[in-house]
């Protein structure tokens, strides 16, 4: 048997109301009808990374990069230079 990933379907409240009538007026805004498949190669390299300092709260977003410090958009966290620091608190990359 071939294990193929199932597509996740998103249903809006409007679609549910049209499909089921007035009985679905109290339906949640979105319903996921299936789970997303697990990632085969590990976590997404373009995910946002939270600074480890509790008071900071800065998130490095690879889609945005850090243009103020010469990091272009599209740079994964793993590809940041060794001397890069959190722009908010100055925590070095080796502590992330």
């Amino acid at each position: 048997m071939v294990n193929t990933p199932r597509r996740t379907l998103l249903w809006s409240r409007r679609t549910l109301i049209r499909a089921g009538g007035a009985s679905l007026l109290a339906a949640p805004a979105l319903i996921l009808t299936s789970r997303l498949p697990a990632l085969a190669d590990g976590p997404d390299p373009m995910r946002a990374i939270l600074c480890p300092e509790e008071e900071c709260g800065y998130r490095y977003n690879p889609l945005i990069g850090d243009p103020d410090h010469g990091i272009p958009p599209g740079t994964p966290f793993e590809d940041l230079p060794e001397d890069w620091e959190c722009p908010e608190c100055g925590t070095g990359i080796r502590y992330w």
Side-chain angles (χ1 to χ4, degrees):
M1 179 174 178
V2 176
N3 187 8
T4 58
R6 289 188 282 167
R7 211 173 90 194
T8 298
L9 301 174
L10 252 47
W11 295 84
S12 69
R13 182 180 296 205
R14 181 180 298 168
T15 303
L16 288 172
I17 292 171
R18 284 186 198 154
S23 63
L24 293 174
L25 285 176
L30 295 175
I31 295 176
L32 294 175
T33 59
S34 66
R35 292 187 290 158
L36 292 173
L39 297 173
D41 297 328
D44 180 13
M46 297 306 278
R47 72 193 181 286
I49 305 290
L50 180 64
C51 179
E53 290 295 321
E54 291 180 20
E55 298 85 26
C56 178
Y58 174 79
R59 284 186 188 270
Y60 173 75
N61 187 341
L63 299 175
I64 298 170
D66 186 10
D68 295 338
H69 297 98
I71 307 298
T75 304
F77 184 79
E78 292 78 20
D79 293 343
L80 290 174
E82 292 292 322
D83 61 345
W84 184 84
E85 297 177 340
C86 173
E88 297 293 323
C89 69
T91 301
I93 196 169
R94 67 179 174 271
Y95 298 109
W96 289 52

